[in-house]
Amino acid sequence: MGSTSAENHGTEGVGRRDLIKRSAALGLISVPTMSFLSACASSGGDDSGDKAKAGKKTAKNPLAVNDTAGMEFVLFDGGFGKEYAEDAVKIYEKNFPKVKVKFSATQKIQSTLQPRFNQGTPPDLIDNSGAEQMDMGVLVGKDQLTDLTPLLDAPSYDDPDKKVRDTLRPGIVEMGQFDGEKVWILYYAYTVYGVWYSQKALDSLDEQYPETWDQMLAVCAKAKKKGMAGWTYAGKYPYYIPFSLYPMIGKVGGREVLDAIDNLEPNAWKHPAVKACFEAYYELYKKGYVLKGTPGLDHIQSQTAWAEGKALFIPNGSWVENESANVIPDDFNLAVSAPTGLDSSDKMPFGTIWASGGEPFIVPAKAKNAAGGMEQLRIMLSEASSKNFTGKVKSLTAYNGGTDGISLTPGLKSGVAALDKAGDNVVNPRLQDWYVQLQKEKIGVSGLGEMMAGRLTPAEAIKKIQGFADEAAKDDSIKHYKHQ
Amino acid sequence: MQHGKYRFIVGFLALPLGLYALFVVWPFIQSIYYSFTDWTGLSPEFKMVGFDNYSRMLDDDIFWKSLQHSLLFALLLPVVTISLALFFAFMINVGGRKRRNGPVVTGVRGSSFYKIVYFFPQVLSIAIVALLFAFAYNPDSGAINTLLRGIGLGDVQPLWLGDPDLALWAVMAVLVWSTVGFFVVLFSAGMASIPAEMYEAALLDGANRVTTFFRVTLPLLWDTVQSGWVYMGILALGAESFAVVQIMTTGPGGPDYSTTVMVLYVYQKAFRDGQAAYATTIGVALLVVTLAFAAVVMRLGRRERLEY
């Protein structure tokens, strides 16, 4: 290192200083975090041609699964745990007694599986979820996934006269498509998004859930008098706000406004409905109805403040019941509602709600036993497995029904009721699975987050967000999708 | 004895150099190679795209923001951390008043206790430190705002990590807190090896603490300070800044990209957006910045070595 006259004299200077110098030199070379990237560098592995042979197609085995071939299943071990999948694996092993399923659960989906995709040896079924979710757009764009149409057209597990496709909740099949007819993803859980609150707290204010924005403001004013904030949200992850804001935009301006936004059409965000809804939310901030300090809270902290009764409403998804179970008081009486609209001139009725699939399951294109992976999914989509899931983790599944005869928790019950009320008025904005960075960082953090913290006016926020959307539309390093 | 000297040295160095080439140099070359492709990191297929990634990087606002923040980290953090550490180390080892019958050069009262206190954060993993401070910065129930309320400053309730003007400073403060102890110990070791006679001579000549520090301690400690400087700069550009930003400002890099740093951006591009090739491009830029930083510090810090 240039500073000293290179040589060491005698033994005196060798110890400490040289050690430091050497370690600094080492750090200099090794710290730039690139080498770890190359650790998973592609080795260009080809199809080794050892795919499992098809088995015999029978009524009980419509996907012609090879009854001796092994099957590997990697599950995201998140909020829903792994028990439900283990139970389903047991059924697979019972149906194919000669097979031992290789099952594993991890939170590190990407770090575990990215190298295996690169080597062309992925497992047969993956729950690609969690913070380390692999980018679906890229997987589809690079032909890494198996088309699940055969599964959807196979007879359902419970009723041979019904196709799997016909047993699913609305929107599930479409969500698995990107462009064209092929279905790449099967979302297993079914999430209800909306405004979550404590029925008990609302009762204590002598109020009903507000259906128009004037009523909303009145409820918030009343809450404020009692020392309770109207709203809080995950300030560090402001992309939770859309869970109630987007369906509100859909309700006010109609589905086509949301579709235009998803399609990244020019000036989609400048629609009057978007402006009206942004202004409505901004008013919450202006009038001091948002819990103080909210922009600095993360999702857990804001949910905790809300569960403690510091705020009345929070935009969230149905996982909140499981996630906040330990802070929600027993008599909380958790409930969800479709978002409040503006007034009676809204295009869609009150009850319009955002509900869509969660926990995306995929079968890799290079899987050795793709039929086995699909068969495992078919088992999971049976009524019994679906009920098992709902009973264990307080969440609905893609299987339509399967809630009879099990005792539903308050939040889940309220979610089911909200879905019944919504009927066909379920909207499904796709930005969050089509354009992750645009939705989370740009629209969420830099747009909505800044507006709700009072650092942008609604007009400025819209202009900024439209700019982000135009940028994304022009960026050819990301794949673009359109509503069919 | 000169004859065959180099062959002798090479013989000993072959194995470590080989390992070094395989595990350090080769990944670098690979990374640079991948930065010219459109590799996604999710499939083995890719093709060469020339300088596309580089021209895209130059047009990328977030890249420039992250570069700006990384440079701020690399310039400011070493100054603050090393100045603080030098001050503390000096007070612990040399700065004390002479006590009757005691040694001439001594630290302030209770210095061995302070040494442990300063070093303590070093024992904690940076991830834990970041988490602890994320709780402390909670504007609603965190320790800092509670303290402010407690001393009657209830109106001053900053959003800390939620405020784009404060977030970066809040994150930097945590890094200073967690690394200063290491340098206190490092500089203490350096000061311990400075002969006591030098201090005695200075004291006899009537030098006060400030003079002693600038005329005796700092010059004799210069090599250590300089190494520490480079080391801290690299930490600030690399691993440590990644950990605090990723954990404390959660994901996107703070409100309105106010805390995005280059390493975080590399990680996000590679492991969230499926753009591994672009990530390696930013990695190459980070390499250039790191090397330039080290070169500048070495150049500016060059001075005559003092022998003693």
Side-chain angles (χ1 to χ4, degrees):
Chain A
M1 308 183 84
S3 67
T4 56
S5 49
E7 254 124 328
N8 288 308
H9 300 283
T11 50
E12 204 198 301
V14 176
R16 185 192 82 246
R17 275 200 220 130
D18 274 65
L19 192 69
I20 293 163
K21 275 193 267 176
R22 267 170 221 160
S23 59
L26 247 180
L28 178 69
I29 301 301
S30 59
V31 165
T33 35
M34 300 158 48
S35 44
F36 78 97
L37 274 178
S38 312
C40 52
S42 54
S43 60
D46 295 313
D47 276 316
S48 34
D50 53 357
K51 291 205 176 214
K53 287 200 185 71
K56 213 170 154 215
K57 190 168 173 174
T58 63
K60 289 208 97 180
N61 185 8
L63 290 164
V65 176
N66 181 337
D67 62 359
T68 56
M71 198 271 282
E72 189 184 356
F73 178 4
V74 178
L75 183 86
F76 168 66
D77 190 0
F80 295 138
K82 57 181 178 182
E83 228 178 297
Y84 76 95
E86 280 169 346
D87 293 345
V89 164
K90 274 180 210 139
I91 300 174
Y92 186 99
E93 285 176 337
K94 207 178 97 210
N95 293 354
F96 303 98
K98 281 177 243 165
V99 176
K100 179 97 186 86
V101 175
K102 196 175 163 204
F103 174 80
S104 56
T106 175
Q107 299 205 350
K108 308 220 157 287
I109 290 291
Q110 180 137 24
S111 23
T112 326
L113 295 181
Q114 186 162 346
R116 296 189 55 187
F117 270 93
N118 266 320
Q119 285 159 14
T121 56
D124 303 308
L125 178 63
I126 302 168
D127 172 14
N128 182 22
S129 188
E132 281 206 15
Q133 185 180 56
M134 292 176 286
D135 190 301
M136 302 280 193
V138 176
L139 287 175
V140 173
K142 293 276 168 180
D143 299 325
Q144 295 296 306
L145 299 184
T146 301
D147 177 14
L148 299 177
T149 306
L151 165 68
L152 294 170
D153 289 334
S156 77
Y157 195 79
D158 302 305
D159 180 358
D161 296 331
K162 236 179 178 180
K163 287 179 180 177
V164 169
R165 184 189 292 279
D166 302 325
T167 64
L168 302 179
R169 289 185 188 274
I172 290 289
V173 174
E174 291 72 35
M175 274 192 80
Q177 297 170 329
F178 276 84
D179 38 8
E181 282 299 300
K182 290 183 175 172
V183 180
W184 305 109
I185 307 163
L186 199 127
Y187 287 87
Y188 186 61
Y190 196 69
T191 306
V192 179
Y193 301 94
V195 182
W196 295 78
Y197 58 96
S198 154
Q199 186 64 51
K200 188 188 161 214
L202 206 57
D203 289 344
S204 75
L205 295 172
D206 270 334
E207 285 286 351
Q208 298 288 315
Y209 183 85
E211 295 196 8
T212 68
W213 204 253
D214 286 340
Q215 287 170 14
M216 168 60 81
L217 295 173
V219 172
C220 288
K222 217 167 178 181
K224 198 179 179 186
K225 264 191 209 130
K226 286 205 159 188
M228 195 182 198
W231 284 67
T232 188
Y233 58 90
K236 285 197 204 169
Y237 305 97
Y239 45 88
Y240 277 52
I241 299 172
F243 296 158
S244 62
L245 178 62
Y246 285 1
M248 180 180 178
I249 292 172
K251 171 171 158 40
V252 173
R255 278 176 208 276
E256 53 288 358
V257 184
L258 292 177
D259 285 356
I261 287 174
D262 285 343
N263 291 344
L264 302 179
E265 283 168 23
N267 295 325
W269 289 91
K270 299 204 168 141
H271 193 280
V274 177
K275 190 154 180 281
C277 294
F278 272 46
E279 275 165 357
Y281 270 64
Y282 189 64
E283 206 167 354
L284 294 175
Y285 159 78
K286 282 276 260 210
K287 294 211 152 112
Y289 295 155
V290 178
L291 178 70
K292 228 178 155 206
T294 292
L297 303 180
D298 67 19
H299 61 304
I300 300 289
Q301 291 163 342
S302 63
Q303 282 161 207
T304 305
W306 160 80
E308 285 167 353
K310 288 182 185 167
L312 197 52
F313 300 121
I314 192 168
N316 221 315
S318 42
W319 61 79
V320 70
E321 186 164 37
N322 216 20
E323 195 170 57
S324 295
N326 53 346
V327 287
I328 291 180
D330 288 338
D331 59 349
F332 194 74
N333 217 346
L334 178 69
V336 62
S337 171
T340 308
L342 280 183
D343 49 42
S344 55
S345 68
D346 292 354
K347 291 257 170 63
M348 290 171 85
F350 177 73
T352 301
I353 201 164
W354 180 359
S356 67
E359 296 300 302
F361 280 75
I362 50 176
V363 177
K366 291 191 176 141
K368 291 205 175 67
N369 185 4
M374 286 195 249
E375 175 65 14
Q376 178 70 73
L377 272 175
R378 199 173 73 95
I379 293 170
M380 290 169 67
L381 289 168
S382 68
E383 183 167 4
S385 295
S386 169
K387 262 188 182 169
N388 183 35
F389 178 84
T390 304
K392 278 194 168 122
V393 303
K394 304 173 195 158
S395 172
L396 299 172
T397 70
Y399 177 82
N400 200 350
T403 52
D404 310 329
I406 46 177
S407 69
L408 298 178
T409 49
L412 192 53
K413 202 194 261 170
S414 150
V416 173
L419 281 179
D420 283 346
K421 186 176 165 73
D424 286 338
N425 296 318
V426 172
V427 293
N428 187 1
R430 301 300 300 277
L431 280 179
Q432 67 177 13
D433 43 305
W434 285 354
Y435 308 107
V436 179
Q437 193 200 9
L438 174 68
Q439 163 71 5
K440 290 192 168 175
E441 283 183 18
K442 297 188 166 166
I443 296 172
V445 180
S446 294
L448 293 173
E450 292 296 288
M451 180 182 89
M452 291 306 284
R455 294 188 287 259
L456 288 180
T457 64
E460 286 165 348
I462 287 172
K463 199 173 157 227
K464 199 169 173 190
I465 290 173
Q466 184 63 57
F468 288 141
D470 293 343
E471 236 171 62
K474 267 187 287 175
D475 187 349
D476 40 335
S477 67
I478 47 182
K479 199 167 160 61
H480 297 112
Y481 302 99
K482 290 251 184 296
H483 280 277
Q484 300 296 313
Chain B
M1 217 10 237
Q2 287 298 310
H3 182 67
K5 176 180 161 192
Y6 290 106
R7 204 182 300 162
F8 180 74
I9 293 173
V10 167
F12 268 95
L13 283 182
L15 184 66
L17 275 181
L19 287 174
Y20 186 79
L22 183 64
F23 290 111
V24 179
V25 178
W26 179 239
F28 267 83
I29 296 171
Q30 258 187 325
S31 304
I32 293 168
Y33 168 73
Y34 282 120
S35 72
F36 293 103
T37 68
D38 67 348
W39 184 42
T40 57
L42 285 169
S43 91
E45 290 104 37
F46 58 81
K47 58 179 190 301
M48 301 301 288
V49 295
F51 281 92
D52 281 8
N53 285 321
Y54 287 90
S55 60
R56 181 181 159 204
M57 181 171 79
L58 296 179
D59 280 339
D60 185 345
D61 291 343
I62 305 170
F63 165 74
W64 288 111
K65 258 193 176 166
S66 66
L67 175 67
Q68 206 182 328
H69 294 149
S70 280
L71 287 179
L72 198 65
F73 266 82
L75 297 178
L76 212 60
L77 272 181
V79 178
V80 177
T81 315
I82 287 178
S83 317
L84 269 178
L86 271 175
F87 174 73
F88 290 145
F90 182 74
M91 294 313 278
I92 286 174
N93 293 289
V94 190
R97 272 170 219 287
K98 176 160 169 35
R99 287 185 281 274
R100 196 173 300 163
N101 299 328
V104 182
V105 182
T106 172
V108 295
R109 211 175 284 271
S111 56
S112 53
F113 172 70
Y114 290 134
K115 218 182 270 186
I116 294 170
V117 171
Y118 290 140
F119 193 70
F120 187 68
Q122 200 64 35
V123 181
L124 299 174
S125 136
I126 184 74
I128 294 170
V129 171
L131 264 182
L132 284 179
F133 273 87
F135 286 124
Y137 280 129
N138 178 339
D140 180 45
S141 57
I144 300 178
N145 278 3
T146 310
L147 184 78
L148 285 175
R149 278 195 294 270
I151 57 172
L153 289 170
D155 293 340
V156 189
Q157 295 281 297
L159 293 173
W160 299 116
L161 299 171
D163 185 336
D165 297 330
L166 283 180
L168 192 65
W169 306 109
V171 168
M172 279 195 188
V174 174
L175 269 188
V176 171
W177 184 85
S178 68
T179 44
V180 92
F182 172 78
F183 291 99
V184 170
V185 173
L186 179 70
F187 295 150
S188 293
M191 288 177 192
S193 72
I194 296 173
E197 304 89 66
M198 298 222 174
Y199 287 112
E200 284 171 14
L203 288 175
L204 283 177
D205 288 343
N208 60 16
R209 284 186 207 175
V210 178
T211 325
T212 320
F213 176 76
F214 283 106
R215 297 292 163 130
V216 180
T217 309
L218 191 56
L220 290 177
L221 208 61
W222 190 250
D223 275 359
T224 315
V225 172
Q226 200 184 21
S227 306
W229 193 285
V230 175
Y231 181 69
M232 185 65 211
I234 290 167
L235 276 190
L237 281 170
E240 304 260 308
S241 68
F242 171 76
V244 282
V245 171
Q246 165 82 357
I247 295 168
M248 292 176 61
T249 62
T250 45
D256 207 15
Y257 297 106
S258 56
T259 60
T260 310
V261 287
M262 288 172 88
V263 259
L264 181 76
Y265 201 41
V266 170
Y267 172 81
Q268 288 176 337
K269 282 290 154 200
F271 295 115
R272 185 196 59 194
D273 299 344
Q275 301 176 2
Y278 186 49
T280 56
T281 312
I282 302 161
V284 171
L286 181 60
L287 170 71
V288 172
V289 170
T290 313
L291 289 175
F293 167 80
V296 166
V297 171
M298 287 312 186
R299 193 84 207 162
L300 292 180
R302 175 174 293 177
R303 55 189 283 171
E304 205 57 31
R305 183 176 189 180
L306 294 161
E307 299 290 345
Y308 54 87

